[in-house]
Amino acid sequence: MELRASLLKEVAAIIADDDLTAEALKALKALRRKSRVARKEQEAESPCKDEIECIKKRAESALVRYKQGEYASQDEMLKRTERWK
């Protein structure tokens, strides 16, 4: 909370001066651009991206099969799990 109050105090002082306002706006835009670039790089390096796409495709496929009536009843699933023990 103190951080926000301090920021608001500084912003109030900057807004009073047109030159400072222009500089602050330029700096804020650069900061946002840097943040977006970092976020995009992090997404690009994500090791799970391909896995997520694969999971989404499998889920969509499963929903299609379910709508077509291809699913196991609860009793059938319980029988399958008995074999896992």
Side-chain angles (χ1 to χ4, degrees):
M1 199 65 170
E2 290 177 31
L3 185 60
R4 289 182 184 157
S6 178
L7 177 62
L8 289 174
K9 183 179 176 183
E10 293 299 323
V11 167
I14 290 170
I15 289 176
D17 183 324
D18 287 344
D19 291 335
L20 285 177
T21 301
E23 281 187 56
L25 186 58
K26 186 177 174 182
L28 287 170
K29 286 180 180 180
L31 183 61
R32 286 184 59 205
R33 193 169 31 254
K34 181 179 174 183
S35 175
R36 274 189 246 131
V37 168
R39 205 174 316 121
K40 285 182 182 179
E41 287 176 354
Q42 184 180 16
E43 289 173 3
E45 294 173 4
S46 175
C48 301
K49 189 159 180 79
D50 293 334
E51 289 181 29
I52 291 172
E53 291 301 319
C54 181
I55 291 169
K56 285 181 182 178
K57 287 178 185 176
R58 289 179 59 197
E60 289 169 359
S61 175
L63 285 173
V64 169
R65 289 193 320 269
Y66 174 78
K67 288 177 183 176
Q68 293 173 346
E70 298 177 31
Y71 56 88
S73 69
Q74 184 175 1
D75 291 335
E76 291 171 336
M77 288 305 296
L78 288 172
K79 288 178 185 174
R80 289 182 190 179
T81 59
E82 288 297 319
R83 291 183 287 183
W84 298 347
K85 295 179 182 177

